């Protein structure tokens, strides 16, 4: 009887080890695939230096400030001032949203600086 119990116990342990081994292999494959996907998405999502620097795309910045991507400097500054004051933590606003507003303004500034550099120097009149 002792021999049958030992044999049964070894079969249970062996089956359990196989199941756990397969689960680990499957989890590793999924993690590796997710890692490759996030690396590819990161390379595509943060393609330009301004996005990497501010952590916000121009589309997201426009959405935060509620302006269009091609808005004038004056429009961006006006919306920044309104949104910054409205989200002042001392007045019951959100520090997180205020930080997003600052990053959005910085992103627009970088975009405008980049456009100015691409257009080249303006001739003196």
């Amino acid at each position: 009887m002792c021999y049958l119990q030992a044999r049964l116990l070894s079969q249970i342990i062996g089956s359990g080890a196989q199941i756990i081994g397969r689960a680990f292999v499957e989890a590793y494959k999924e993690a590796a695939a997710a890692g490759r996907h996030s690396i590819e998405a990161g390379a595509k999502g943060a393609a330009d230096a301004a996005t990497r620097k501010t952590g916000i795309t121009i589309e997201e910045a426009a959405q935060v400030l509620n302006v269009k991507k091609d808005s004038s400097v004056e429009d961006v500054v006006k919306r920044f001032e309104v949104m910054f004051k409205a989200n002042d933590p001392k007045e019951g606003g959100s520090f997180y949203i205020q930080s997003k507003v600052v990053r959005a303004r910085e992103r627009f500034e970088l975009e405008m600086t980049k456009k100015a550099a691409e257009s080249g120097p303006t001739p003196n009149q």
Side-chain angles (χ1 to χ4, degrees):
M1 191 74 167
C2 185
Y3 171 75
L4 291 176
Q5 290 174 342
R7 183 174 169 203
L8 181 62
L9 183 61
S10 69
Q11 286 177 343
I12 291 171
I13 291 173
S15 297
Q18 286 179 341
I19 291 169
I20 291 173
R22 287 185 195 136
F24 275 119
V25 168
E26 188 65 29
Y28 176 78
K29 288 179 182 178
E30 289 179 14
R36 282 191 302 273
H37 176 70
S38 67
I39 289 171
E40 291 169 1
K44 292 177 187 171
D48 66 345
T51 301
R52 285 191 302 274
K53 184 174 183 177
T54 60
I56 188 171
T57 64
I58 191 68
E59 290 81 11
E60 187 180 4
Q63 188 175 15
V64 168
L65 292 176
N66 196 23
V67 295
K68 295 182 180 178
K69 290 191 309 185
D70 57 350
S71 294
S72 68
V73 176
E74 294 81 20
D75 291 341
V76 172
V77 170
K78 283 180 192 175
R79 288 301 300 161
F80 167 75
E81 290 173 353
V82 169
M83 298 292 289
F84 189 82
K85 289 176 185 173
N87 289 292
D88 187 1
K90 294 176 186 172
E91 302 295 325
S94 169
F95 179 73
Y96 173 77
I97 295 175
Q98 193 180 46
S99 299
K100 280 293 220 184
V101 169
V102 170
R103 296 291 168 251
R105 186 208 60 203
E106 289 174 350
R107 181 63 168 101
F108 267 103
E109 288 174 351
L110 287 173
E111 193 71 20
M112 290 174 189
T113 303
K114 180 177 150 186
K115 285 181 182 177
E118 288 174 358
S119 66
T122 56
N124 293 335
Q125 297 176 352

